[in-house]
Amino acid sequence: MDFIPINFYGNYIDAHIAKGVLEENDIDCWLKDENTVTIDPILTNAVGGIKLMVPKEKAGLAKQILESVRSEQKITVTCPKCGSHNIEPVNTPRKASNWFGAIVGFLTMNYALPVDTVSHCFDCGHEFPIEDEPK
Ligand SMILES: [Zn+2]
């Protein structure tokens, strides 16, 4: 079976969320270069991030599923400053302590590390922490 990359991720948490979504929809998939990026985040750009690989014939469907999940997330997030829904999670530059954290996390298989991801409003530029559940 031919696998092709349909998306790229700068960290393993985003990559695993996407992989989980596809698996729930019965699409075979795997992550390429996950270990490289997790052990040495500085190589993320060099290898092009973690690649989400899916069977060639399912690529269109997989993209559709991920896109619909993304737009659902967009609607549920509101900018506290201007009220816009034009919000997307962005990764902020990693700090040195987090490289260390990523290595420790990899070695101890502890995947519950804090991530440097915030919600970014594309209308006013405001950035705010991502809330897990709407209250
Ligand atoms: Zn805003």
Side-chain angles (χ1 to χ4, degrees), residues 10-14 41 89-99 102 113-119 127-130:
N11 69 66
Y12 55 83
I13 295 181
D14 290 346
V90 293
N91 295 319
T92 58
R94 284 171 176 270
K95 299 171 192 76
S97 61
N98 284 350
W99 296 7
L113 291 167
V115 213
D116 296 339
T117 307
V118 295
S119 292
E127 287 186 350
F128 51 98
I130 293 174

PDB file of all heavy atoms in Angstrom, residues 10-14 41 89-99 102 113-119 127-130:
ATOM      1  N   GLY A  10       4.365  20.394  13.975  1.00  0.00           N
ATOM      2  CA  GLY A  10       5.578  20.838  14.660  1.00  0.00           C
ATOM      3  C   GLY A  10       5.774  20.167  16.003  1.00  0.00           C
ATOM      4  O   GLY A  10       6.837  20.262  16.599  1.00  0.00           O
ATOM      5  N   ASN A  11       4.744  19.481  16.506  1.00  0.00           N
ATOM      6  CA  ASN A  11       4.920  18.754  17.762  1.00  0.00           C
ATOM      7  C   ASN A  11       4.063  17.496  17.768  1.00  0.00           C
ATOM      8  O   ASN A  11       3.090  17.382  17.021  1.00  0.00           O
ATOM      9  CB  ASN A  11       4.622  19.641  18.984  1.00  0.00           C
ATOM     10  CG  ASN A  11       3.152  19.982  19.098  1.00  0.00           C
ATOM     11  OD1 ASN A  11       2.322  19.104  19.323  1.00  0.00           O
ATOM     12  ND2 ASN A  11       2.815  21.238  18.927  1.00  0.00           N
ATOM     13  N   TYR A  12       4.464  16.534  18.617  1.00  0.00           N
ATOM     14  CA  TYR A  12       3.836  15.217  18.575  1.00  0.00           C
ATOM     15  C   TYR A  12       2.417  15.219  19.126  1.00  0.00           C
ATOM     16  O   TYR A  12       1.640  14.328  18.817  1.00  0.00           O
ATOM     17  CB  TYR A  12       4.701  14.185  19.306  1.00  0.00           C
ATOM     18  CG  TYR A  12       5.030  14.551  20.732  1.00  0.00           C
ATOM     19  CD1 TYR A  12       4.144  14.284  21.761  1.00  0.00           C
ATOM     20  CD2 TYR A  12       6.243  15.177  21.037  1.00  0.00           C
ATOM     21  CE1 TYR A  12       4.444  14.640  23.061  1.00  0.00           C
ATOM     22  CE2 TYR A  12       6.547  15.527  22.334  1.00  0.00           C
ATOM     23  CZ  TYR A  12       5.646  15.253  23.348  1.00  0.00           C
ATOM     24  OH  TYR A  12       5.945  15.605  24.636  1.00  0.00           O
ATOM     25  N   ILE A  13       2.074  16.248  19.927  1.00  0.00           N
ATOM     26  CA  ILE A  13       0.719  16.256  20.491  1.00  0.00           C
ATOM     27  C   ILE A  13      -0.310  16.519  19.391  1.00  0.00           C
ATOM     28  O   ILE A  13      -1.285  15.776  19.237  1.00  0.00           O
ATOM     29  CB  ILE A  13       0.617  17.289  21.632  1.00  0.00           C
ATOM     30  CG1 ILE A  13       1.541  16.833  22.772  1.00  0.00           C
ATOM     31  CG2 ILE A  13      -0.837  17.427  22.110  1.00  0.00           C
ATOM     32  CD1 ILE A  13       1.536  17.727  23.976  1.00  0.00           C
ATOM     33  N   ASP A  14      -0.060  17.562  18.584  1.00  0.00           N
ATOM     34  CA  ASP A  14      -0.949  17.844  17.453  1.00  0.00           C
ATOM     35  C   ASP A  14      -1.016  16.641  16.515  1.00  0.00           C
ATOM     36  O   ASP A  14      -2.073  16.276  16.024  1.00  0.00           O
ATOM     37  CB  ASP A  14      -0.436  19.048  16.654  1.00  0.00           C
ATOM     38  CG  ASP A  14      -0.591  20.347  17.432  1.00  0.00           C
ATOM     39  OD1 ASP A  14      -1.318  20.340  18.442  1.00  0.00           O
ATOM     40  OD2 ASP A  14       0.012  21.350  17.014  1.00  0.00           O
ATOM     41  N   PRO A  41      13.793  18.863  18.874  1.00  0.00           N
ATOM     42  CA  PRO A  41      12.852  19.778  18.196  1.00  0.00           C
ATOM     43  C   PRO A  41      13.547  20.747  17.246  1.00  0.00           C
ATOM     44  O   PRO A  41      12.927  21.265  16.330  1.00  0.00           O
ATOM     45  CB  PRO A  41      12.215  20.543  19.367  1.00  0.00           C
ATOM     46  CG  PRO A  41      12.428  19.681  20.551  1.00  0.00           C
ATOM     47  CD  PRO A  41      13.711  18.925  20.320  1.00  0.00           C
ATOM     48  N   PRO A  89      -5.071  27.644  16.624  1.00  0.00           N
ATOM     49  CA  PRO A  89      -3.959  27.411  17.545  1.00  0.00           C
ATOM     50  C   PRO A  89      -2.632  27.603  16.826  1.00  0.00           C
ATOM     51  O   PRO A  89      -2.482  27.163  15.697  1.00  0.00           O
ATOM     52  CB  PRO A  89      -4.153  25.965  17.985  1.00  0.00           C
ATOM     53  CG  PRO A  89      -5.100  25.362  17.034  1.00  0.00           C
ATOM     54  CD  PRO A  89      -5.815  26.450  16.296  1.00  0.00           C
ATOM     55  N   VAL A  90      -1.708  28.270  17.458  1.00  0.00           N
ATOM     56  CA  VAL A  90      -0.367  28.423  16.885  1.00  0.00           C
ATOM     57  C   VAL A  90       0.665  27.964  17.902  1.00  0.00           C
ATOM     58  O   VAL A  90       0.447  28.050  19.105  1.00  0.00           O
ATOM     59  CB  VAL A  90      -0.076  29.892  16.479  1.00  0.00           C
ATOM     60  CG1 VAL A  90      -0.960  30.319  15.324  1.00  0.00           C
ATOM     61  CG2 VAL A  90      -0.254  30.829  17.657  1.00  0.00           C
ATOM     62  N   ASN A  91       1.776  27.482  17.402  1.00  0.00           N
ATOM     63  CA  ASN A  91       2.869  27.074  18.273  1.00  0.00           C
ATOM     64  C   ASN A  91       3.814  28.244  18.476  1.00  0.00           C
ATOM     65  O   ASN A  91       4.289  28.830  17.518  1.00  0.00           O
ATOM     66  CB  ASN A  91       3.643  25.911  17.650  1.00  0.00           C
ATOM     67  CG  ASN A  91       2.783  24.676  17.542  1.00  0.00           C
ATOM     68  OD1 ASN A  91       2.022  24.363  18.442  1.00  0.00           O
ATOM     69  ND2 ASN A  91       2.887  23.986  16.430  1.00  0.00           N
ATOM     70  N   THR A  92       4.064  28.570  19.708  1.00  0.00           N
ATOM     71  CA  THR A  92       5.019  29.631  19.990  1.00  0.00           C
ATOM     72  C   THR A  92       6.417  29.015  20.030  1.00  0.00           C
ATOM     73  O   THR A  92       6.550  27.817  20.247  1.00  0.00           O
ATOM     74  CB  THR A  92       4.692  30.307  21.334  1.00  0.00           C
ATOM     75  OG1 THR A  92       4.710  29.312  22.345  1.00  0.00           O
ATOM     76  CG2 THR A  92       3.325  30.956  21.303  1.00  0.00           C
ATOM     77  N   PRO A  93       7.438  29.818  19.811  1.00  0.00           N
ATOM     78  CA  PRO A  93       8.809  29.265  19.819  1.00  0.00           C
ATOM     79  C   PRO A  93       9.099  28.526  21.117  1.00  0.00           C
ATOM     80  O   PRO A  93       8.752  29.006  22.195  1.00  0.00           O
ATOM     81  CB  PRO A  93       9.685  30.513  19.692  1.00  0.00           C
ATOM     82  CG  PRO A  93       8.807  31.538  19.094  1.00  0.00           C
ATOM     83  CD  PRO A  93       7.406  31.249  19.569  1.00  0.00           C
ATOM     84  N   ARG A  94       9.729  27.402  20.973  1.00  0.00           N
ATOM     85  CA  ARG A  94      10.028  26.598  22.147  1.00  0.00           C
ATOM     86  C   ARG A  94      11.140  27.222  22.956  1.00  0.00           C
ATOM     87  O   ARG A  94      12.092  27.756  22.417  1.00  0.00           O
ATOM     88  CB  ARG A  94      10.452  25.194  21.725  1.00  0.00           C
ATOM     89  CG  ARG A  94       9.281  24.375  21.292  1.00  0.00           C
ATOM     90  CD  ARG A  94       9.747  23.072  20.680  1.00  0.00           C
ATOM     91  NE  ARG A  94       8.590  22.256  20.345  1.00  0.00           N
ATOM     92  CZ  ARG A  94       8.048  21.401  21.176  1.00  0.00           C
ATOM     93  NH1 ARG A  94       8.560  21.227  22.381  1.00  0.00           N
ATOM     94  NH2 ARG A  94       7.014  20.696  20.814  1.00  0.00           N
ATOM     95  N   LYS A  95      11.014  27.105  24.267  1.00  0.00           N
ATOM     96  CA  LYS A  95      12.061  27.581  25.153  1.00  0.00           C
ATOM     97  C   LYS A  95      13.016  26.433  25.456  1.00  0.00           C
ATOM     98  O   LYS A  95      12.659  25.272  25.331  1.00  0.00           O
ATOM     99  CB  LYS A  95      11.443  28.105  26.455  1.00  0.00           C
ATOM    100  CG  LYS A  95      10.501  29.261  26.228  1.00  0.00           C
ATOM    101  CD  LYS A  95       9.744  29.597  27.516  1.00  0.00           C
ATOM    102  CE  LYS A  95       8.596  30.558  27.254  1.00  0.00           C
ATOM    103  NZ  LYS A  95       7.430  29.902  26.633  1.00  0.00           N
ATOM    104  N   ALA A  96      14.223  26.801  25.859  1.00  0.00           N
ATOM    105  CA  ALA A  96      15.252  25.791  26.102  1.00  0.00           C
ATOM    106  C   ALA A  96      14.776  24.735  27.088  1.00  0.00           C
ATOM    107  O   ALA A  96      15.037  23.550  26.926  1.00  0.00           O
ATOM    108  CB  ALA A  96      16.522  26.451  26.617  1.00  0.00           C
ATOM    109  N   SER A  97      14.043  25.152  28.118  1.00  0.00           N
ATOM    110  CA  SER A  97      13.608  24.202  29.133  1.00  0.00           C
ATOM    111  C   SER A  97      12.701  23.134  28.523  1.00  0.00           C
ATOM    112  O   SER A  97      12.645  22.012  28.988  1.00  0.00           O
ATOM    113  CB  SER A  97      12.861  24.927  30.247  1.00  0.00           C
ATOM    114  OG  SER A  97      11.714  25.566  29.730  1.00  0.00           O
ATOM    115  N   ASN A  98      11.991  23.528  27.450  1.00  0.00           N
ATOM    116  CA  ASN A  98      11.073  22.567  26.855  1.00  0.00           C
ATOM    117  C   ASN A  98      11.780  21.534  25.980  1.00  0.00           C
ATOM    118  O   ASN A  98      11.263  20.455  25.761  1.00  0.00           O
ATOM    119  CB  ASN A  98       9.994  23.278  26.050  1.00  0.00           C
ATOM    120  CG  ASN A  98       8.963  23.899  26.974  1.00  0.00           C
ATOM    121  OD1 ASN A  98       8.977  23.632  28.179  1.00  0.00           O
ATOM    122  ND2 ASN A  98       8.104  24.724  26.446  1.00  0.00           N
ATOM    123  N   TRP A  99      12.922  21.889  25.428  1.00  0.00           N
ATOM    124  CA  TRP A  99      13.697  20.870  24.715  1.00  0.00           C
ATOM    125  C   TRP A  99      14.075  19.787  25.702  1.00  0.00           C
ATOM    126  O   TRP A  99      13.925  18.611  25.437  1.00  0.00           O
ATOM    127  CB  TRP A  99      15.006  21.440  24.161  1.00  0.00           C
ATOM    128  CG  TRP A  99      14.833  22.499  23.140  1.00  0.00           C
ATOM    129  CD1 TRP A  99      13.658  23.100  22.752  1.00  0.00           C
ATOM    130  CD2 TRP A  99      15.846  23.094  22.351  1.00  0.00           C
ATOM    131  NE1 TRP A  99      13.911  24.021  21.795  1.00  0.00           N
ATOM    132  CE2 TRP A  99      15.242  24.051  21.525  1.00  0.00           C
ATOM    133  CE3 TRP A  99      17.236  22.908  22.273  1.00  0.00           C
ATOM    134  CZ2 TRP A  99      15.965  24.817  20.626  1.00  0.00           C
ATOM    135  CZ3 TRP A  99      17.943  23.674  21.382  1.00  0.00           C
ATOM    136  CH2 TRP A  99      17.317  24.612  20.564  1.00  0.00           C
ATOM    137  N   ALA A 102      11.109  17.834  26.522  1.00  0.00           N
ATOM    138  CA  ALA A 102      10.738  16.898  25.461  1.00  0.00           C
ATOM    139  C   ALA A 102      11.597  15.648  25.527  1.00  0.00           C
ATOM    140  O   ALA A 102      11.121  14.538  25.336  1.00  0.00           O
ATOM    141  CB  ALA A 102      10.884  17.569  24.100  1.00  0.00           C
ATOM    142  N   LEU A 113       3.176  16.516  28.925  1.00  0.00           N
ATOM    143  CA  LEU A 113       3.983  17.719  29.126  1.00  0.00           C
ATOM    144  C   LEU A 113       3.213  18.942  28.642  1.00  0.00           C
ATOM    145  O   LEU A 113       2.406  18.859  27.732  1.00  0.00           O
ATOM    146  CB  LEU A 113       5.286  17.605  28.334  1.00  0.00           C
ATOM    147  CG  LEU A 113       6.276  16.567  28.856  1.00  0.00           C
ATOM    148  CD1 LEU A 113       7.360  16.331  27.812  1.00  0.00           C
ATOM    149  CD2 LEU A 113       6.901  17.038  30.156  1.00  0.00           C
ATOM    150  N   PRO A 114       3.490  20.103  29.260  1.00  0.00           N
ATOM    151  CA  PRO A 114       2.838  21.325  28.776  1.00  0.00           C
ATOM    152  C   PRO A 114       3.323  21.673  27.365  1.00  0.00           C
ATOM    153  O   PRO A 114       4.464  21.416  27.021  1.00  0.00           O
ATOM    154  CB  PRO A 114       3.287  22.386  29.778  1.00  0.00           C
ATOM    155  CG  PRO A 114       4.499  21.834  30.436  1.00  0.00           C
ATOM    156  CD  PRO A 114       4.387  20.338  30.384  1.00  0.00           C
ATOM    157  N   VAL A 115       2.445  22.224  26.550  1.00  0.00           N
ATOM    158  CA  VAL A 115       2.797  22.608  25.180  1.00  0.00           C
ATOM    159  C   VAL A 115       2.761  24.124  25.057  1.00  0.00           C
ATOM    160  O   VAL A 115       1.951  24.781  25.693  1.00  0.00           O
ATOM    161  CB  VAL A 115       1.771  22.064  24.156  1.00  0.00           C
ATOM    162  CG1 VAL A 115       2.465  21.741  22.860  1.00  0.00           C
ATOM    163  CG2 VAL A 115       0.998  20.927  24.716  1.00  0.00           C
ATOM    164  N   ASP A 116       3.619  24.613  24.200  1.00  0.00           N
ATOM    165  CA  ASP A 116       3.631  26.047  23.942  1.00  0.00           C
ATOM    166  C   ASP A 116       2.671  26.375  22.810  1.00  0.00           C
ATOM    167  O   ASP A 116       3.077  26.831  21.747  1.00  0.00           O
ATOM    168  CB  ASP A 116       5.033  26.505  23.543  1.00  0.00           C
ATOM    169  CG  ASP A 116       6.017  26.316  24.677  1.00  0.00           C
ATOM    170  OD1 ASP A 116       5.559  26.221  25.823  1.00  0.00           O
ATOM    171  OD2 ASP A 116       7.214  26.278  24.410  1.00  0.00           O
ATOM    172  N   THR A 117       1.396  26.102  23.016  1.00  0.00           N
ATOM    173  CA  THR A 117       0.427  26.408  21.974  1.00  0.00           C
ATOM    174  C   THR A 117      -0.586  27.400  22.524  1.00  0.00           C
ATOM    175  O   THR A 117      -1.091  27.224  23.622  1.00  0.00           O
ATOM    176  CB  THR A 117      -0.298  25.132  21.504  1.00  0.00           C
ATOM    177  OG1 THR A 117       0.682  24.174  21.137  1.00  0.00           O
ATOM    178  CG2 THR A 117      -1.173  25.427  20.299  1.00  0.00           C
ATOM    179  N   VAL A 118      -0.856  28.454  21.762  1.00  0.00           N
ATOM    180  CA  VAL A 118      -1.845  29.444  22.177  1.00  0.00           C
ATOM    181  C   VAL A 118      -2.841  29.622  21.039  1.00  0.00           C
ATOM    182  O   VAL A 118      -2.583  29.239  19.904  1.00  0.00           O
ATOM    183  CB  VAL A 118      -1.187  30.807  22.508  1.00  0.00           C
ATOM    184  CG1 VAL A 118      -0.270  30.683  23.706  1.00  0.00           C
ATOM    185  CG2 VAL A 118      -0.445  31.354  21.299  1.00  0.00           C
ATOM    186  N   SER A 119      -3.992  30.224  21.361  1.00  0.00           N
ATOM    187  CA  SER A 119      -4.957  30.580  20.328  1.00  0.00           C
ATOM    188  C   SER A 119      -4.591  31.953  19.782  1.00  0.00           C
ATOM    189  O   SER A 119      -4.353  32.879  20.550  1.00  0.00           O
ATOM    190  CB  SER A 119      -6.373  30.613  20.907  1.00  0.00           C
ATOM    191  OG  SER A 119      -6.777  29.307  21.244  1.00  0.00           O
ATOM    192  N   GLU A 127      -3.464  37.045  21.332  1.00  0.00           N
ATOM    193  CA  GLU A 127      -3.154  35.646  21.622  1.00  0.00           C
ATOM    194  C   GLU A 127      -3.561  35.333  23.053  1.00  0.00           C
ATOM    195  O   GLU A 127      -3.332  36.141  23.956  1.00  0.00           O
ATOM    196  CB  GLU A 127      -1.665  35.360  21.408  1.00  0.00           C
ATOM    197  CG  GLU A 127      -1.317  35.322  19.925  1.00  0.00           C
ATOM    198  CD  GLU A 127       0.127  34.896  19.664  1.00  0.00           C
ATOM    199  OE1 GLU A 127       0.912  34.812  20.616  1.00  0.00           O
ATOM    200  OE2 GLU A 127       0.427  34.665  18.489  1.00  0.00           O
ATOM    201  N   PHE A 128      -4.175  34.187  23.243  1.00  0.00           N
ATOM    202  CA  PHE A 128      -4.649  33.829  24.571  1.00  0.00           C
ATOM    203  C   PHE A 128      -4.557  32.321  24.750  1.00  0.00           C
ATOM    204  O   PHE A 128      -4.530  31.569  23.772  1.00  0.00           O
ATOM    205  CB  PHE A 128      -6.090  34.315  24.775  1.00  0.00           C
ATOM    206  CG  PHE A 128      -7.039  33.911  23.672  1.00  0.00           C
ATOM    207  CD1 PHE A 128      -7.869  32.800  23.833  1.00  0.00           C
ATOM    208  CD2 PHE A 128      -7.095  34.618  22.486  1.00  0.00           C
ATOM    209  CE1 PHE A 128      -8.729  32.422  22.824  1.00  0.00           C
ATOM    210  CE2 PHE A 128      -7.965  34.231  21.458  1.00  0.00           C
ATOM    211  CZ  PHE A 128      -8.780  33.145  21.641  1.00  0.00           C
ATOM    212  N   PRO A 129      -4.506  31.866  26.015  1.00  0.00           N
ATOM    213  CA  PRO A 129      -4.345  30.421  26.270  1.00  0.00           C
ATOM    214  C   PRO A 129      -5.543  29.629  25.729  1.00  0.00           C
ATOM    215  O   PRO A 129      -6.671  30.121  25.743  1.00  0.00           O
ATOM    216  CB  PRO A 129      -4.295  30.316  27.795  1.00  0.00           C
ATOM    217  CG  PRO A 129      -4.067  31.706  28.288  1.00  0.00           C
ATOM    218  CD  PRO A 129      -4.582  32.637  27.245  1.00  0.00           C
ATOM    219  N   ILE A 130      -5.275  28.430  25.274  1.00  0.00           N
ATOM    220  CA  ILE A 130      -6.343  27.569  24.776  1.00  0.00           C
ATOM    221  C   ILE A 130      -7.068  26.946  25.959  1.00  0.00           C
ATOM    222  O   ILE A 130      -6.455  26.408  26.875  1.00  0.00           O
ATOM    223  CB  ILE A 130      -5.758  26.444  23.892  1.00  0.00           C
ATOM    224  CG1 ILE A 130      -5.187  27.074  22.619  1.00  0.00           C
ATOM    225  CG2 ILE A 130      -6.805  25.401  23.566  1.00  0.00           C
ATOM    226  CD1 ILE A 130      -4.460  26.098  21.733  1.00  0.00           C
TER     227      ILE A 130
END
